[in-house]
Amino acid sequence: MVPPSSILPPGSIILDKAAETPFSASSSDGLTSKVQSLDIVIEDGNFVGMPFVLLSGEKWIKNQGSDFYVGFSAASKLALKAAGDGSGTAKSLLDKIADMESEAQKSFMHRFNIAADLIEDATSAGELGFAGILVWMRFMATRQLIWNKNYNVKPREISKAQDRLTDLLQNAFTSHPQYREILRMIMSTVGRGGEGDVGQRIRDEILVIQRNNDCKGGMMEEWHQKLHNNTSPDDVVICQALIDYIKSDFDLGVYWKTLNENGITKERLLSYDRAIHSEPNFRGDQKGGLLRDLGHYMRTLKAVHSGADLESAIANCMGYKTEGEGFMVGVQINPVSGLPSGFQDLLHFVLDHVEDKNVETLLERLLEAREELRPLLLKPNNRLKDLLFLDIALDSTVRTAVERGYEELNNANPEKIMYFISLVLENLALSVDDNEDLVYCLKGWNQALSMSNGGDNHWALFAKAVLDRTRLALASKAEWYHHLLQPSAEYLGSILGVDQWALNIFTEEIIRAGSAASLSSLLNRLDPVLRKTANLGSWQIISPVEAVGYVVVVDELLSVQNEIYEKPTILVAKSVKGEEEIPDGAVALITPDMPDVLSHVSVRARNGKVCFATCFDPNILADFQAKEGRILLLKPTPSDIIYSEVNEIELQSSSNLVEAETSATLRLVKKQFGGCYAISADEFTSEMVGAKSRNIAYLKGKVPSSVGIPTSVALPFGVFEKVLSDDINQGVAKELQILMKKLSEGDFSALGEIRTTVLDLSAPAQLVKELKEKMQGSGMPWPGDEGPKRWEQAWMAIKKVWASKWNERAYFSTRKVKLDHDYLCMAVLVQEIINADYAFVIHTTNPSSGDDSEIYAEVVRGLGETLVGAYPGRALSFICKKKDLNSPQVLGYPSKPIGLFIKRSIIFRSDSNGEDLEGYAGAGLYDSVPMDEEEKVVIDYSSDPLITDGNFRQTILSNIARAGHAIEELYGSPQDIEGVVRDGKIYVVQTRPQM
């Protein structure tokens, strides 16, 4: 929001959606230099916080590329205001947690018992319920909540409460397998707990340590009092700090270093109910005994507090016995039954080598242990939680080993890095529920390794595609976490007064704690190596146009697609999906994202003479972002963009050269109903249907016999208007009239309402009769023959095509080029769907280089919607010289994780009069709707012959190129062609002039 003028300091200027305020310089007490400051007085309690950036001269100062943010959450009223309405959360559960927090603050025993009491509520609320528990437990673990408030509680009472909670989580893990991943995360946050006796030993053993080693006063006594009063995970750190201090020959610097690195400051030690004031002070003769006893004590502490501790987790599964000593009780843990043979030896190997400098063999054994453990986690077991904590500990050890192994990768060959990636990826796949995509990525890495070892010169190009897909899988996982956890973190955190910075990075920190962060780091290390090996450069040029303008950085193109920039603008957008519009005034678009070269936004850029490129080098991208607000000149070459800063005068002269060419005014001619509800292909004329239908009819019988053309009929122009005017649709017509008026007054929310209302239309009997006759007469199956429900499905698909005239993208697109939207008419092309093995799009002139001697094409598995729609990932891309159609050259392998497949069905394609206009890329704006839903399938490229069989690939790609060349020759001009491959045969489903 724009800040209200009433609160703005003197000298402020109100801008669009923001205000700009100068600092004033003043001398500060005790400082000789001048300090710049400004005071903003906010008395209105409705404000939640303030995003801001700083401008120094012409340099923008940001918070790692984002806005700074100051929250006004001191008052509880404001905190509640900031919490929002709790949408996207299990709100009633979170409200309960918030109400009980003051009780939970008394001790861990109280908190764990309250959490255990709420598990039933969480189970009823489903995934969001467990998300709420996880968020609350994370706030506890990260010390955002009070651990103990003047309450004396025995350690065994804490571990008993912890035990009760983890038992309930274990039961939910078995009874609700769909929530396993999130339950596993809760368990790793809570820690194992253990038998009450293990908890009691925390109090008992510290007394034994003091007595055995003659250290009854000072820091050890203060720590004993703290442990006696309330033990917490901090005690694990304090114990480690003491061990490190003793090992360093009593260097206090080492003691404080261990504490501080683990988040424990002097202030924190003083904040305990039983504060620790003193520093340790031991004698040389105490060294051996203390190291021995504190080492044993560490196991007891970790057994209670650290679910991820490997040694205690292994001991808990393998069984151990500790004798009682004097007043101290003994402990006996029995081994878990049913462990695989040789499992014990495997774990002993892991323990013996857990600190090895060369980590490769250790990683292999850790993963072997996790693989053997996995089947046991998927079936009921009364010791399941011990197995789960062992798995969590193995997972954690993989991460620390990988981070330790970075050093040995510094000068490693790409194969070694790829092997490490495959190990970390397997670790991640073993930790998450929905891991099909990750498993196929893993198969991809294994294939890339065997290609490299086998001397296949395409290995780096293929590995780059697997790397891109792996990144997409990580991004998708991060989005899932964010969607699931962030709303609960923000709602509950705001009510509980958690620091704003902790809320902002909540999900990010969860992700960083898992294997995904290590994997991402390894991918970043490998990416430049692969790009260099495969000669890919730092750029992919999609639209090579020289441009000059002011740099503006945005998160996503979608958020600014309807903006109008007054000055020539170079947009640097982190996210470009492929279906967006390019805003008016943008002369260039730079992104790290990878939309297809043939996506809507790519066509728009080439059409509108806008420079468009993907930048793969994070350093170059960061340089562009750092130049926000400055003027750059971009000069694309076939594989690079040369850029330099210029001044206002150079901008003016360049702008005169590249003055936006105002396209000749585009006009639509309103089409009338021609008297027929349905027509066959031999009746297609420009008065009846659009170019899509006419082109497909023209190809029939003219293309080589090796190219199939699907049978088509159409509902011509004017049928929608005729149906709307029918008496049976009077109510719908009236409703649409009201909504059209609302839209004409600038209320764009009417667009969605119009689309919904169009779906209420009923089909006149004559339409049904004529469409049935035409489809059957053309040899197409009639949906109604399979029952009335099937006809209803077909009728709904037809209405969805008509309704797409009012989708946001299409509506704003016509407004932008000043087309009269009311004159836009929609015919519907009806075709039988070919259940495709592959789909392709051909441009018979290479769109990136403008070279008319070569064909450029992209190919995907399944139906073509993943190619022309905004589906993430890249298609297989290739070029082919027209004079040598037998030698296609692969430019990039596919990284799209999803393919769409469908049984035999009918598709209803949009065919508007807006798609025929020269200079206006209307294609792809409107919807084509299949009668049946496509099935989304996660693609395994390691078993796809197009990837694995070089001869098959050459045959298919050559046949696609041949079909494109034949159609271009038929029309005598460059063509944009869509088609599919089924059982090796090429089918063309539409063609249009290449824009």
Side-chain angles (χ1 to χ4, degrees):
M1 294 164 62
V2 183
S5 52
S6 58
I7 68 164
L8 290 178
S12 300
I13 305 162
I14 294 186
L15 309 166
D16 180 32
K17 297 183 187 164
E20 195 171 281
T21 303
F23 284 96
S24 52
S26 61
S27 292
S28 182
D29 293 344
L31 291 174
T32 50
S33 59
K34 289 202 169 180
V35 171
Q36 295 185 73
S37 65
L38 75 96
D39 289 335
I40 305 173
V41 180
I42 295 143
E43 291 170 338
D44 183 341
N46 289 321
F47 290 106
V48 170
M50 179 180 75
F52 66 94
V53 291
L54 304 174
L55 179 60
S56 170
E58 292 189 358
K59 187 181 177 199
W60 291 93
I61 300 167
K62 293 193 164 194
N63 182 12
Q64 297 178 336
S66 301
D67 293 347
F68 290 101
Y69 178 79
V70 55
F72 309 150
S73 57
S76 58
K77 184 176 76 162
L78 283 173
L80 282 164
K81 179 87 184 163
D85 60 2
S87 57
T89 72
K91 182 176 181 296
S92 62
L93 174 68
L94 298 184
D95 289 340
K96 253 187 203 178
I97 289 172
D99 290 343
M100 300 177 92
E101 175 58 28
S102 58
E103 179 72 8
Q105 287 177 359
K106 288 181 178 175
S107 74
F108 279 128
M109 178 190 77
H110 291 80
R111 189 176 297 284
F112 291 145
N113 277 328
I114 291 168
D117 293 339
L118 290 173
I119 291 296
E120 199 174 320
D121 287 17
T123 309
S124 305
E127 192 168 58
L128 287 175
F130 288 120
I133 298 285
L134 173 61
V135 164
W136 187 38
M137 291 292 115
R138 277 288 296 184
F139 285 157
M140 170 202 75
T142 53
R143 304 188 179 124
Q144 289 293 325
L145 303 176
I146 294 168
W147 279 5
N148 180 263
K149 220 174 190 177
N150 306 321
Y151 201 91
N152 191 345
V153 61
K154 299 182 180 76
R156 74 153 157 254
E157 292 169 338
I158 294 176
S159 67
K160 189 177 174 189
Q162 205 168 1
D163 217 28
R164 177 178 165 230
L165 173 58
T166 50
D167 274 343
L168 290 168
L169 292 169
Q170 161 187 277
N171 298 343
F173 190 92
T174 304
S175 59
H176 293 81
Q178 69 273 38
Y179 307 136
R180 278 182 183 141
E181 184 175 342
I182 199 155
L183 285 160
R184 190 176 182 280
M185 291 164 78
I186 298 170
M187 291 179 84
S188 69
T189 306
V190 170
R192 185 172 50 245
E195 305 303 315
D197 288 343
V198 179
Q200 181 57 34
R201 281 182 73 95
I202 287 181
R203 290 174 81 178
D204 296 345
E205 273 187 53
I206 189 68
L207 286 168
V208 174
I209 292 169
Q210 286 181 281
R211 191 180 65 196
N212 285 352
N213 296 283
D214 186 26
C215 49
K216 289 181 182 159
M219 178 266 166
M220 287 298 279
E221 181 55 30
E222 289 168 0
W223 187 31
H224 166 218
Q225 291 303 325
K226 187 253 178 220
L227 288 158
H228 195 87
N229 185 53
N230 195 281
T231 179
S232 70
D234 280 9
D235 296 316
V236 177
V237 180
I238 293 169
C239 188
Q240 188 60 55
L242 287 172
I243 291 170
D244 294 347
Y245 158 71
I246 297 164
K247 281 183 177 173
S248 69
D249 283 331
F250 312 110
D251 180 346
L252 280 170
V254 171
Y255 170 75
W256 284 110
K257 182 170 182 278
T258 300
L259 290 178
N260 293 339
E261 280 176 355
N262 290 281
I264 297 181
T265 58
K266 190 170 268 184
E267 291 72 27
R268 183 161 184 82
L269 294 173
L270 294 171
S271 75
Y272 302 138
D273 285 344
R274 302 289 166 88
I276 298 177
H277 299 271
S278 312
E279 293 179 325
N281 182 16
F282 301 134
R283 303 185 308 272
D285 62 314
Q286 295 172 305
K287 185 173 182 177
L290 278 170
L291 281 177
R292 179 195 64 233
D293 292 351
L294 287 170
H296 288 312
Y297 193 43
M298 181 66 105
R299 185 166 88 172
T300 303
L301 287 168
K302 285 184 171 180
V304 172
H305 291 301
S306 174
D309 174 58
L310 186 64
E311 194 173 345
S312 63
I314 289 175
N316 242 38
C317 288
M318 293 305 169
Y320 68 90
K321 187 175 180 182
T322 309
E323 298 297 338
E325 184 183 328
F327 60 86
M328 191 162 68
V329 292
V331 175
Q332 175 154 354
I333 303 286
N334 293 320
V336 175
S337 59
L339 292 173
S341 64
F343 193 60
Q344 196 157 352
D345 296 340
L346 191 55
L347 294 181
H348 282 313
F349 178 91
V350 164
L351 277 182
D352 291 345
H353 296 273
V354 77
E355 292 182 2
D356 282 6
K357 194 165 169 7
N358 293 340
V359 297
E360 195 172 307
T361 311
L362 171 65
L363 287 171
E364 288 167 348
R365 295 291 181 274
L366 284 163
L367 287 166
E368 198 181 324
R370 291 200 68 197
E371 285 163 20
E372 294 205 12
L373 202 51
R374 190 172 172 82
L376 299 178
L377 302 177
L378 305 181
K379 53 191 183 193
N381 185 316
N382 64 342
R383 296 281 299 281
L384 178 63
K385 73 175 182 183
D386 289 328
L387 296 172
L388 273 167
F389 280 120
L390 174 57
D391 188 56
I392 289 165
L394 291 166
D395 175 16
S396 171
T397 311
V398 170
R399 293 199 304 275
T400 49
V402 167
E403 284 160 20
R404 194 166 72 247
Y406 284 162
E407 208 174 316
E408 69 180 90
L409 293 180
N410 280 344
N411 301 308
N413 59 30
E415 288 76 11
K416 174 109 172 172
I417 303 173
M418 287 200 289
Y419 183 57
F420 261 66
I421 285 171
S422 72
L423 294 173
V424 181
L425 182 55
E426 183 180 351
N427 193 55
L428 182 61
L430 285 164
S431 304
V432 301
D433 288 344
D434 184 12
N435 65 3
E436 190 177 13
D437 191 17
L438 295 173
V439 169
Y440 290 148
C441 288
L442 180 58
K443 289 178 80 171
W445 284 112
N446 291 337
Q447 189 179 343
L449 273 166
S450 71
M451 284 168 76
S452 171
N453 294 333
D456 186 323
N457 59 7
H458 275 208
W459 75 266
L461 203 56
F462 178 75
K464 178 69 175 90
V466 182
L467 184 143
D468 292 341
R469 178 174 181 175
T470 309
R471 275 192 176 144
L472 282 173
L474 288 179
S476 157
K477 196 76 208 160
E479 267 172 44
W480 180 76
Y481 281 140
H482 196 274
H483 178 74
L484 180 64
L485 301 176
Q486 196 63 30
S488 295
E490 287 174 9
Y491 181 73
L492 183 61
S494 297
I495 297 173
L496 298 181
V498 170
D499 291 340
Q500 185 63 47
W501 63 266
L503 300 185
N504 294 345
I505 62 167
F506 182 84
T507 306
E508 193 185 317
E509 285 302 307
I510 290 250
I511 294 161
R512 285 170 67 88
S515 292
S518 314
L519 183 54
S520 183
S521 169
L522 289 169
L523 295 174
N524 291 344
R525 192 179 280 233
L526 182 63
D527 194 347
V529 179
L530 293 180
R531 297 196 61 77
K532 190 175 173 188
T533 310
N535 301 314
L536 290 173
S538 299
W539 293 90
Q540 177 172 26
I541 313 300
I542 297 169
S543 174
V545 178
E546 196 169 305
V548 62
Y550 290 87
V551 175
V552 171
V553 179
V554 296
D555 270 341
E556 43 183 37
L557 180 60
L558 188 66
S559 64
V560 295
Q561 65 173 353
N562 299 322
E563 296 278 332
I564 296 171
Y565 291 101
E566 300 298 333
K567 298 192 274 193
T569 298
I570 295 170
L571 279 177
V572 180
K574 287 180 197 164
S575 163
V576 177
K577 294 298 172 232
E579 290 216 299
E580 304 92 336
E581 291 296 321
I582 294 175
D584 282 353
V587 294
L589 175 58
I590 306 295
T591 180
D593 229 337
M594 294 183 289
D596 288 306
V597 172
L598 304 183
S599 66
H600 174 79
V601 72
S602 304
V603 173
R604 273 275 180 269
R606 289 191 290 268
N607 226 29
K609 303 289 185 286
V610 171
C611 177
F612 182 21
T614 293
C615 177
F616 298 108
D617 186 326
N619 297 323
I620 296 175
L621 198 70
D623 192 39
F624 265 90
Q625 290 166 334
K627 289 181 165 49
E628 181 160 26
R630 301 190 205 173
I631 306 166
L632 292 186
L633 170 64
L634 311 184
K635 292 190 170 183
T637 70
S639 60
D640 199 2
I641 286 190
I642 296 155
Y643 61 99
S644 55
E645 274 193 64
V646 295
N647 57 32
E648 289 268 2
I649 298 156
E650 290 172 280
L651 171 67
Q652 295 304 327
S653 59
S654 300
S655 295
N656 295 340
L657 293 174
V658 294
E659 194 65 56
E661 301 157 27
T662 38
S663 50
T665 309
L666 298 169
R667 296 202 49 209
L668 284 172
V669 178
K670 193 163 176 99
K671 304 288 186 179
Q672 303 301 323
F673 179 62
C676 298
Y677 282 103
I679 56 176
S680 54
D682 52 13
E683 299 170 280
F684 290 179
T685 67
S686 59
E687 288 307 306
M688 303 293 266
V689 291
K692 193 182 285 182
S693 302
R694 298 198 308 276
N695 286 340
I696 211 72
Y698 175 73
L699 290 177
K700 200 95 172 161
K702 295 188 180 69
V703 289
S705 58
S706 58
V707 179
I709 306 290
T711 307
S712 308
V713 302
L715 286 80
F717 292 137
V719 172
F720 167 72
E721 291 76 10
K722 177 71 175 167
V723 169
L724 186 61
S725 66
D726 196 291
D727 290 348
I728 56 172
N729 290 312
Q730 270 181 348
V732 176
K734 275 184 188 158
E735 179 68 17
L736 280 177
Q737 219 171 347
I738 295 163
L739 291 170
M740 296 296 185
K741 185 171 186 298
K742 191 173 163 185
L743 181 62
S744 69
E745 290 164 357
D747 185 346
F748 301 130
S749 68
L751 288 166
E753 295 174 69
I754 291 170
R755 293 197 299 275
T756 306
T757 307
V758 167
L759 302 185
D760 292 333
L761 288 168
S762 300
Q766 187 61 23
L767 181 149
V768 182
K769 178 174 177 288
E770 287 186 32
L771 185 57
K772 180 178 179 178
E773 284 169 2
K774 292 296 180 187
M775 286 179 74
Q776 288 180 330
S778 303
M780 293 170 75
W782 169 245
D785 288 346
E786 298 173 54
K789 193 171 173 215
R790 292 292 284 160
W791 159 247
E792 278 307 319
Q793 271 177 273
W795 175 236
M796 182 56 77
I798 291 166
K799 291 186 289 187
K800 283 180 177 173
V801 175
W802 284 336
S804 73
K805 171 180 171 178
W806 288 277
N807 76 49
E808 280 76 6
R809 192 157 61 91
Y811 182 76
F812 289 115
S813 181
T814 52
R815 273 168 59 99
K816 193 173 282 187
V817 292
K818 299 180 175 57
L819 281 174
D820 188 334
H821 190 259
D822 292 342
Y823 277 33
L824 190 110
C825 295
M826 188 76 75
V828 180
L829 175 62
V830 185
Q831 291 179 324
E832 197 170 352
I833 289 185
I834 296 146
N835 187 0
D837 300 322
Y838 305 99
F840 59 81
V841 173
I842 307 168
H843 276 192
T844 59
T845 289
N846 186 333
S848 297
S849 62
D851 185 346
D852 60 8
S853 73
E854 65 186 17
I855 287 166
Y856 174 89
E858 294 184 339
V859 186
V860 292
R861 280 289 302 277
L863 298 174
E865 182 55 29
T866 58
L867 190 49
V868 296
Y871 282 78
R874 299 293 286 273
L876 181 145
S877 56
F878 73 95
I879 52 170
C880 196
K881 290 290 181 189
K882 290 173 186 172
K883 63 175 190 289
D884 184 8
L885 294 168
N886 285 326
S887 305
Q889 182 194 336
V890 174
L891 300 179
Y893 282 95
S895 60
K896 285 186 182 287
I898 297 292
L900 298 177
F901 296 85
I902 201 166
K903 60 182 184 182
R904 188 183 181 198
S905 187
I906 303 289
I907 188 164
F908 300 89
R909 295 183 184 276
S910 57
D911 190 21
S912 76
N913 58 342
E915 292 174 56
D916 305 358
L917 299 174
E918 199 171 325
Y920 173 61
L925 286 175
Y926 306 101
D927 295 346
S928 293
V929 184
M931 193 171 115
D932 297 283
E933 260 193 57
E934 305 104 327
E935 184 192 356
K936 284 186 178 179
V937 175
V938 184
I939 301 296
D940 177 7
Y941 290 112
S942 67
S943 61
D944 180 356
L946 195 66
I947 309 304
T948 59
D949 182 339
N951 293 334
F952 177 81
R953 180 168 62 245
Q954 190 199 349
T955 304
I956 294 293
L957 302 188
S958 293
N959 288 346
I960 289 171
R962 266 196 198 85
H965 188 48
I967 291 169
E968 182 184 55
E969 296 221 303
L970 197 58
Y971 280 95
S973 65
Q975 294 293 299
D976 171 355
I977 302 158
E978 290 179 28
V980 298
V981 181
R982 171 75 185 171
D983 297 331
K985 184 175 172 69
I986 307 293
Y987 294 85
V988 169
V989 296
Q990 68 180 65
T991 184
R992 54 182 168 251
Q994 183 176 329
M995 302 295 273

